[in-house]
Amino acid sequence: FSLDAETGWVTLRERLDYELMRRFTLTILARDGGGEETTGRLRINVLDVNDNAPVFQKEAYTGSLMENEQAPQQVVRAR
C-alpha cells in the first residue's frame, strides 16, 4: 500500500491475492502543522474473484433427453 502525504489517498502498489491474505489493517498517523498527531486504523477486506480456470474430470460430456419427457431429468453431471 502507498499513502499520499498530501491527499491522504491510500493506493495499491501491487495486486492483492485473496488466497494469501483476506484482510489488512493499516495504522495511519496523522500530524497537523502545529505538531498535534493522532492515529487511526484502516481495515481493508479483500474480495475474491474467480482467478482459476475450470477443471473438468472428462474432456467432453454428452447426454440425451426424450422429446416428450414430463418429469425433470438429470441429463449430464459435470464435475
Side-chain angles (χ1 to χ4, degrees):
F1 296 99
S2 179
L3 174 68
D4 186 297
E6 294 295 316
T7 65
W9 283 84
V10 177
T11 56
L12 288 176
R13 295 175 76 177
E14 58 188 62
R15 293 185 69 166
L16 302 177
D17 188 337
Y18 178 83
E19 281 79 18
L20 295 177
M21 186 74 95
R22 296 179 182 190
R23 176 182 293 156
F24 294 87
T25 303
L26 307 178
T27 302
I28 298 174
L29 172 69
R31 186 177 300 133
D32 69 9
E36 297 291 322
E37 62 183 43
T38 189
T39 59
R41 273 192 251 159
L42 173 63
R43 179 175 292 164
I44 299 164
N45 294 315
V46 180
L47 301 178
D48 194 16
V49 296
N50 187 4
D51 54 357
N52 299 308
V55 177
F56 297 96
Q57 288 180 334
K58 297 180 184 177
E59 183 151 329
Y61 292 83
T62 59
S64 61
L65 185 63
M66 298 293 290
E67 181 179 354
N68 295 325
E69 193 69 49
Q70 296 295 317
Q73 296 283 327
Q74 178 175 316
V75 178
V76 174
R77 174 180 276 176
R79 296 178 64 142

